Amino acid sequence: MSEVSGTKTSGYLMKRGEKGLVKGYKKRWFVFNTEDAEKRCFYYPSRDDMVKELGFISMSTVTDIRKPASSSFDFEIQVPGRVYYLQAPTEKEMNVWIETLTPHIGGGSGGSGGGSNDDAIKQRDEKIAQLEQKLKALQAEGGETDEQKMRIELHAANEKAEKLAAELEKAKKSVEELEGKLHSKDDELQALKVKSKKSEDSHAEELTELKKEYFRACAIGIVQQRKITKDLPPVAELYKSCLDDGTEWKDFVPWIKTTLPKK
């Protein structure tokens, strides 16, 4: 027979085991005290053996207490990852336990036992809603923290990228300055080459005219059978230099050959 004394409810219940292939029921002595701050429902081997409890059900973790439709005196206490299957000796004792424990689902303060089932369920639902809101708040807070960390890391990465971009831009400017200087030197070199070419062409033209005049003078001297003066070297020497020279002097070889007297 279950006993209700002030804030304490106790009595025998059959508890189904969780181990083994065949899960049988064993008789256990259950004790629940509403003044227990942690709201734990202890169970012992027997009423006379309460030195050490076999275990306890923490009401703060209980999500539901329900009575299966297929059984007379059975009821179930659901916690995350497990269901406690209990059986009372009578329907009255079953109702005592359900009415006693239900107000404390989720760690609720409950009453002294004996409140209506509807009020207990309402309190349970309100507690579950509060816990869900608290869980959502914690998840949102954790998500915001992760997002803040990601933002900080992203900001650091952006700063690093901007720094690298600035260094790259500086390097590009240095390369452009060097290329500009190189182009300037190339322009100067090209100008020198053009100037040198013009100078060479001018010198070549002037030299060609001098050679033509030289040959003309020699030819005149030969035709007029006058003696070559010291200002005009012998035609033979001039002819030899024409043959040895690799320039346009050779263009005048046929002319000098026809100009030279035959032996």
Side-chain angles (χ1 to χ4, degrees), residues 11 23 25 27-28 50 56 58 67 73 106 116 126 135 143 148 158 169-170 172 180 210 214 246 263:
K23 298 177 175 59
Y25 282 83
K27 191 176 183 180
R28 302 299 183 204
M50 297 178 58
F56 62 87
S58 178
K67 180 182 179 302
F73 312 135
S116 68
E126 290 176 354
L135 178 60
Q148 289 176 353
N158 287 336
E169 188 65 25
K170 185 177 179 181
K172 285 182 178 179
L210 288 174
Y214 202 7
K263 292 184 180 180

Side-chain angles (χ1 to χ4, degrees), residues 7 33-39:
T7 60
N33 193 338
T34 58
E35 290 184 349
D36 179 12
E38 298 183 19
K39 297 296 184 290

Side-chain angles (χ1 to χ4, degrees), residues 15 18 20 30 32 62 102 108 131 143 151 182 193 203-204 250:
K15 175 182 170 295
E18 291 296 318
F30 281 76
F32 179 69
V62 174
T102 298
L131 290 173
R151 287 179 179 176
L182 182 60
K193 286 181 178 180
H203 179 69
K250 290 184 179 182

Side-chain angles (χ1 to χ4, degrees), residues 6 72 79 92 117 225 261:
S72 299
V79 298
K92 181 179 179 181
N117 239 2
Q225 295 182 350

Side-chain angles (χ1 to χ4, degrees), residues 13-82:
L13 293 173
M14 299 295 292
K15 175 182 170 295
R16 196 179 83 174
E18 291 296 318
K19 297 179 181 180
L21 296 175
V22 180
K23 298 177 175 59
Y25 282 83
K26 291 185 179 181
K27 191 176 183 180
R28 302 299 183 204
W29 180 257
F30 281 76
V31 177
F32 179 69
N33 193 338
T34 58
E35 290 184 349
D36 179 12
E38 298 183 19
K39 297 296 184 290
R40 292 167 297 180
C41 181
F42 293 92
Y43 52 92
Y44 301 87
S46 67
R47 181 176 185 176
D48 299 327
D49 186 3
M50 297 178 58
V51 177
K52 177 65 177 177
E53 73 274 6
L54 294 175
F56 62 87
I57 302 172
S58 178
M59 296 304 299
S60 62
T61 63
V62 174
T63 59
D64 191 19
I65 297 176
R66 67 187 186 90
K67 180 182 179 302
S70 60
S71 180
S72 299
F73 312 135
D74 293 352
F75 64 99
E76 300 172 359
I77 299 178
Q78 296 183 351
V79 298
R82 182 177 179 180

